[in-house]
Amino acid sequence: MARAGTRKIGNSREAADLFALTFQHSGVEELYIAHVDSDRRLIAMCNHVGGSVCHLELPLQEIAREALVLQSHGILIAHNHPSGDPTPSRSDIIGTRALSELADRLNIRLYDHLIFAPDRWSSLLALGLL
């Protein structure tokens, strides 16, 4: 977990700029969580490794625990698809919705879930899936 300073993440494009460099050379799916305060200023960035070339489980309890410890007002999550297609999979959508419901119960907002491929990215929020 890295402390990240006071960078503001006001929208999905700014989140994409923040996450983009983290996935440039990864051959397996990785997950990053950006924790933000009530002004959407970055509190910390956490990495969760444990995916394969084509699959990643969202560690819901770990993400929730981190958010509570960091006193996050909200989170943005991002992971990569080394296959080159940033289209959300069925498990991406189901996992994101489960995380959103858990976060809501804890009074934490899930702002977006971004999926990165080598040359493009997608936003579950923009796709109407969050």
Side-chain angles (χ1 to χ4, degrees), residues 9-19 40 76 111-114 116 121 123-126:
I9 307 170
N11 56 48
S12 297
R13 172 79 249 166
E14 291 173 0
D17 291 343
L18 172 70
F19 289 119
R40 291 185 73 164
L76 298 105
Y111 286 108
D112 204 348
H113 180 171
L114 304 178
F116 286 82
W121 57 276
S123 157
L124 272 75
L125 180 66

Side-chain angles (χ1 to χ4, degrees), residues 19-98:
F19 289 119
L21 296 177
T22 61
F23 299 116
Q24 283 187 340
H25 303 292
S26 183
V28 297
E29 289 197 23
E30 291 184 75
L31 173 69
Y32 284 84
I33 317 299
H35 295 270
V36 297
D37 66 15
S38 60
D39 293 325
R40 291 185 73 164
R41 295 198 182 280
L42 188 61
I43 298 169
M45 189 107 129
C46 302
N47 176 312
H48 293 269
V49 181
S52 66
V53 172
C54 62
H55 184 71
L56 177 78
E57 291 280 330
L58 280 178
L60 302 180
Q61 291 177 334
E62 279 183 57
I63 295 168
R65 185 178 67 249
E66 283 173 358
L68 291 170
V69 167
L70 292 167
Q71 298 179 339
S72 303
H73 175 77
I75 56 176
L76 298 105
I77 66 174
H79 81 279
N80 61 323
H81 282 180
S83 67
D85 182 1
T87 303
S89 69
R90 179 169 158 69
S91 64
D92 291 336
I93 296 165
I94 291 168
T96 301
R97 288 180 178 159

